Amino acid sequence: MSVLPQIILQTPLNTQSLRDIKPPLDVPQNLLPYILLGGLILAVIIGMVWLYIRKRHQTLPFSPVIEENTQPPHEIALEQLKILETAPYDMETYHIQISFVIREYIEARFQIPALELTTTGILHQMTREQIGDLYVERIQQFLANCDKVKFTKYQPERSEAEARMVDARWFVEETKILIDDL
């Protein structure tokens, strides 16, 4: 005999009737907290917009005078290299500084955002700007040597550091624009 007829036979008939499901509970709708929260959010947004507009239209009591540097980029770079050459730096700091000076020079001279680009990005931009292959190769070697010192534990000899300075000066001297040429 199967299990189902046995279960039906064992339960007495009409002893337990099925009950209907309960209706959903009535929850009173109190909209006050929602209205207050929406009003608060709206007030914050209006306040932020008001502050933004007020600050945007606010004028300074005086306008700061920004002194325009009239020196050509090559003169600035050569001065910074001269200062760097005489300052006592450890090798890592020296290479970071000399790389920074050359990147600033490239940015000012060729209008390439060299301070924001990686070495590879600088080289691609220089190639795109049709700067001579000799200059691109020399700057590639220069920046690769600086990066090797900056990003690894490589400690160059003093003669290597002096070679970086020679390379930096050569690049600036060879790529400068003379005022007479303009």
Side-chain angles (χ1 to χ4, degrees):
M1 192 168 182
S2 72
V3 176
L4 186 60
Q6 288 178 1
I7 293 175
I8 293 176
L9 290 175
Q10 289 180 358
T11 57
L13 297 175
N14 294 333
T15 57
Q16 207 176 39
S17 64
L18 295 176
R19 291 181 284 160
D20 198 10
I21 60 171
K22 292 184 179 180
L25 294 175
D26 289 331
V27 178
Q29 288 290 340
N30 188 1
L31 298 178
L32 184 62
Y34 298 112
I35 293 172
L36 291 177
L37 183 63
L40 180 66
I41 291 172
L42 185 63
V44 168
I45 291 172
I46 289 172
M48 289 173 59
V49 169
W50 179 74
L51 286 174
Y52 173 75
I53 291 172
R54 189 172 137 221
K55 186 168 184 111
R56 196 176 87 191
H57 290 295
Q58 186 179 23
T59 58
L60 295 174
F62 64 92
S63 60
V65 176
I66 300 173
E67 187 174 311
E68 185 75 25
N69 196 351
T70 57
Q71 284 184 301
H74 68 274
E75 288 180 7
I76 296 169
L78 290 173
E79 286 177 13
Q80 290 176 342
L81 290 173
K82 185 176 181 180
I83 293 169
L84 182 63
E85 193 172 32
T86 60
Y89 290 116
D90 62 289
M91 284 296 158
E92 183 179 355
T93 307
Y94 176 81
H95 281 79
I96 290 171
Q97 292 295 324
I98 198 168
S99 173
F100 184 78
V101 168
I102 294 301
R103 285 171 182 264
E104 278 185 328
Y105 171 72
I106 290 170
E107 190 164 302
R109 166 66 178 83
F110 301 109
Q111 287 74 42
I112 295 173
L115 293 174
E116 290 95 29
L117 294 174
T118 62
T119 299
T120 308
I122 293 171
L123 298 173
H124 286 301
Q125 285 285 90
M126 289 177 75
T127 305
R128 194 174 303 133
E129 296 290 326
Q130 298 179 347
I131 298 169
D133 290 339
L134 174 65
Y135 304 126
V136 174
E137 287 176 22
R138 289 284 295 262
I139 205 66
Q140 178 183 13
Q141 292 172 354
F142 172 81
L143 291 174
N145 289 328
C146 288
D147 288 346
K148 184 167 56 171
V149 175
K150 287 183 342 187
F151 299 118
T152 66
K153 300 224 185 265
Y154 179 69
Q155 287 295 318
E157 298 292 324
R158 188 74 185 149
S159 61
E160 291 179 71
E162 292 169 0
R164 293 300 88 67
M165 182 60 72
V166 170
D167 290 342
R169 286 185 186 281
W170 177 87
F171 181 75
V172 172
E173 288 292 335
E174 290 294 317
T175 58
K176 69 182 178 183
I177 296 179
L178 298 176
I179 302 299
D180 299 333
D181 294 343
L182 297 176

